[in-house]
PDB file of all heavy atoms in Angstrom:
ATOM      1  N   LYS A   2     -15.544  10.708   4.710  1.00 81.00           N
ATOM      2  CA  LYS A   2     -14.708  10.493   5.876  1.00 81.00           C
ATOM      3  C   LYS A   2     -13.224  10.558   5.487  1.00 81.00           C
ATOM      4  O   LYS A   2     -12.815   9.961   4.492  1.00 81.00           O
ATOM      5  CB  LYS A   2     -15.052   9.128   6.449  1.00 81.00           C
ATOM      6  CG  LYS A   2     -14.364   8.779   7.723  1.00 81.00           C
ATOM      7  CD  LYS A   2     -14.866   7.427   8.235  1.00 81.00           C
ATOM      8  CE  LYS A   2     -14.193   7.054   9.515  1.00 81.00           C
ATOM      9  NZ  LYS A   2     -14.657   5.759  10.015  1.00 81.00           N
ATOM     10  N   PRO A   3     -12.396  11.266   6.270  1.00 87.00           N
ATOM     11  CA  PRO A   3     -10.962  11.320   5.971  1.00 87.00           C
ATOM     12  C   PRO A   3     -10.327   9.923   6.049  1.00 87.00           C
ATOM     13  O   PRO A   3     -10.743   9.074   6.830  1.00 87.00           O
ATOM     14  CB  PRO A   3     -10.395  12.224   7.061  1.00 87.00           C
ATOM     15  CG  PRO A   3     -11.555  12.984   7.596  1.00 87.00           C
ATOM     16  CD  PRO A   3     -12.754  12.093   7.411  1.00 87.00           C
ATOM     17  N   THR A   4      -9.327   9.710   5.207  1.00 90.00           N
ATOM     18  CA  THR A   4      -8.584   8.450   5.210  1.00 90.00           C
ATOM     19  C   THR A   4      -7.102   8.752   5.302  1.00 90.00           C
ATOM     20  O   THR A   4      -6.684   9.917   5.261  1.00 90.00           O
ATOM     21  CB  THR A   4      -8.841   7.643   3.928  1.00 90.00           C
ATOM     22  OG1 THR A   4      -8.245   8.347   2.834  1.00 90.00           O
ATOM     23  CG2 THR A   4     -10.318   7.417   3.678  1.00 90.00           C
ATOM     24  N   ALA A   5      -6.296   7.727   5.399  1.00 90.00           N
ATOM     25  CA  ALA A   5      -4.845   7.894   5.428  1.00 90.00           C
ATOM     26  C   ALA A   5      -4.334   8.536   4.150  1.00 90.00           C
ATOM     27  O   ALA A   5      -3.285   9.175   4.141  1.00 90.00           O
ATOM     28  CB  ALA A   5      -4.165   6.546   5.660  1.00 90.00           C
ATOM     29  N   PHE A   6      -5.078   8.408   3.054  1.00 87.00           N
ATOM     30  CA  PHE A   6      -4.668   9.017   1.799  1.00 87.00           C
ATOM     31  C   PHE A   6      -4.640  10.543   1.902  1.00 87.00           C
ATOM     32  O   PHE A   6      -3.924  11.206   1.163  1.00 87.00           O
ATOM     33  CB  PHE A   6      -5.595   8.602   0.649  1.00 87.00           C
ATOM     34  CG  PHE A   6      -5.540   7.137   0.344  1.00 87.00           C
ATOM     35  CD1 PHE A   6      -6.662   6.348   0.499  1.00 87.00           C
ATOM     36  CD2 PHE A   6      -4.377   6.538  -0.105  1.00 87.00           C
ATOM     37  CE1 PHE A   6      -6.625   4.990   0.207  1.00 87.00           C
ATOM     38  CE2 PHE A   6      -4.322   5.184  -0.392  1.00 87.00           C
ATOM     39  CZ  PHE A   6      -5.451   4.405  -0.235  1.00 87.00           C
ATOM     40  N   ASP A   7      -5.418  11.108   2.820  1.00 89.00           N
ATOM     41  CA  ASP A   7      -5.476  12.562   2.986  1.00 89.00           C
ATOM     42  C   ASP A   7      -4.206  13.130   3.597  1.00 89.00           C
ATOM     43  O   ASP A   7      -3.909  14.305   3.407  1.00 89.00           O
ATOM     44  CB  ASP A   7      -6.671  12.957   3.855  1.00 89.00           C
ATOM     45  CG  ASP A   7      -7.992  12.622   3.197  1.00 89.00           C
ATOM     46  OD1 ASP A   7      -8.141  12.914   2.000  1.00 89.00           O
ATOM     47  OD2 ASP A   7      -8.861  12.050   3.875  1.00 89.00           O
ATOM     48  N   SER A   8      -3.473  12.330   4.327  1.00 91.00           N
ATOM     49  CA  SER A   8      -2.313  12.854   5.058  1.00 91.00           C
ATOM     50  C   SER A   8      -0.994  12.163   4.725  1.00 91.00           C
ATOM     51  O   SER A   8       0.042  12.557   5.245  1.00 91.00           O
ATOM     52  CB  SER A   8      -2.565  12.739   6.565  1.00 91.00           C
ATOM     53  OG  SER A   8      -2.767  11.383   6.923  1.00 91.00           O
ATOM     54  N   ASP A   9      -1.025  11.162   3.872  1.00 90.00           N
ATOM     55  CA  ASP A   9       0.192  10.397   3.578  1.00 90.00           C
ATOM     56  C   ASP A   9       0.463  10.409   2.078  1.00 90.00           C
ATOM     57  O   ASP A   9      -0.166   9.689   1.315  1.00 90.00           O
ATOM     58  CB  ASP A   9       0.026   8.963   4.084  1.00 90.00           C
ATOM     59  CG  ASP A   9       1.308   8.149   4.019  1.00 90.00           C
ATOM     60  OD1 ASP A   9       2.142   8.410   3.127  1.00 90.00           O
ATOM     61  OD2 ASP A   9       1.469   7.260   4.866  1.00 90.00           O
ATOM     62  N   THR A  13      -0.613   7.831  -1.011  1.00 93.00           N
ATOM     63  CA  THR A  13      -1.360   8.352  -2.150  1.00 93.00           C
ATOM     64  C   THR A  13      -0.662   8.018  -3.459  1.00 93.00           C
ATOM     65  O   THR A  13      -1.312   7.666  -4.455  1.00 93.00           O
ATOM     66  CB  THR A  13      -1.560   9.878  -2.016  1.00 93.00           C
ATOM     67  OG1 THR A  13      -2.261  10.127  -0.801  1.00 93.00           O
ATOM     68  CG2 THR A  13      -2.348  10.443  -3.184  1.00 93.00           C
ATOM     69  N   PHE A  45     -12.270   3.989  -0.205  1.00 93.00           N
ATOM     70  CA  PHE A  45     -11.778   5.123  -0.972  1.00 93.00           C
ATOM     71  C   PHE A  45     -11.145   4.658  -2.280  1.00 93.00           C
ATOM     72  O   PHE A  45     -11.395   5.229  -3.345  1.00 93.00           O
ATOM     73  CB  PHE A  45     -10.759   5.914  -0.146  1.00 93.00           C
ATOM     74  CG  PHE A  45     -10.280   7.163  -0.820  1.00 93.00           C
ATOM     75  CD1 PHE A  45     -10.931   8.359  -0.621  1.00 93.00           C
ATOM     76  CD2 PHE A  45      -9.168   7.137  -1.651  1.00 93.00           C
ATOM     77  CE1 PHE A  45     -10.493   9.520  -1.240  1.00 93.00           C
ATOM     78  CE2 PHE A  45      -8.722   8.286  -2.279  1.00 93.00           C
ATOM     79  CZ  PHE A  45      -9.386   9.483  -2.073  1.00 93.00           C
TER      80      PHE A  45
END
Side-chain angles (χ1 to χ4, degrees):
K2 185 176 180 180
T4 68
F6 295 117
D7 295 314
S8 60
D9 189 330
T13 301
F45 185 91

